[in-house]
Amino acid sequence: MRQLAAGIRFASFLSVAALATGVGLADGSPYASLRAARPAGPGLAVSNLVLERDAFRFRFEAGSFQMLSAVEGRTMGAVFSGQGTMELTPASEAEAQHFAMVNGEKPAAVFTDRFQSLVLLFGDGTATEIESHATPGPAPAAARKIWDDFSRKQR
């Protein structure tokens, strides 16, 4: 399941990077700002937060988020540390069989993976959704390390 989660995170990173490819590469450009984004600002404590996107359901049982620094006034990602679960519902039987083969599991209607940290990248209203369900709290102590590890793996 770890390979699946890593692949999903990589796909999310690529989608954000694709958003940035249409802009200039000069210093000070939105692309440069996106590449320089790091966890910044206050922590957001959450409990029993559920985010659903397409075939994915992320359950953040307990923990905290720290948003990435904004790019042109938009928050494009967040780092989470705590306890959570990701569920993936395959779109077809063939997809379920493929996931099972890749992960050495039996085909299932829903694939589940637990996590203690997660990097979310987004271009929609996810930041607002997280903020509306959160309370002020300490930023995750390991947010920068989680982000740096994620960035290193993506390179």
Side-chain angles (χ1 to χ4, degrees):
M1 217 49 221
R2 297 282 177 222
Q3 292 173 338
L4 175 62
I8 292 164
R9 290 183 204 115
F10 180 67
S12 297
F13 182 79
L14 287 180
S15 65
V16 170
L19 290 172
T21 58
V23 297
L25 298 176
D27 287 342
S29 72
Y31 180 74
S33 297
L34 183 60
R35 292 202 35 115
R38 300 285 182 273
L44 299 166
V46 295
S47 177
N48 298 317
L49 169 64
V50 176
L51 297 177
E52 294 188 45
R53 301 293 185 273
D54 298 321
F56 296 96
R57 175 179 289 136
F58 295 93
R59 295 178 190 273
F60 301 95
E61 296 158 14
S64 60
F65 281 94
Q66 187 173 29
M67 299 298 174
L68 297 182
S69 50
V71 176
E72 292 196 334
R74 292 185 64 186
T75 302
M76 302 295 287
V79 174
F80 173 80
S81 181
Q83 298 298 317
T85 305
M86 180 200 72
E87 297 172 356
L88 169 64
T89 304
S92 67
E93 180 61 31
E95 192 173 78
Q97 289 175 357
H98 175 76
F99 289 148
M101 180 184 70
V102 168
N103 293 296
E105 299 177 6
K106 293 181 180 179
V110 177
F111 290 89
T112 303
D113 195 12
R114 297 199 49 78
F115 56 86
Q116 285 84 40
S117 63
L118 182 71
V119 172
L120 289 176
L121 299 172
F122 41 80
D124 58 5
T126 300
T128 303
E129 189 173 349
I130 292 168
E131 290 166 347
S132 71
H133 289 88
T135 58
R144 185 63 180 253
K145 182 181 179 336
I146 294 166
W147 175 255
D148 289 345
D149 289 348
F150 169 78
S151 297
R152 194 171 12 266
K153 286 178 186 175
Q154 300 314 310
R155 281 185 230 128

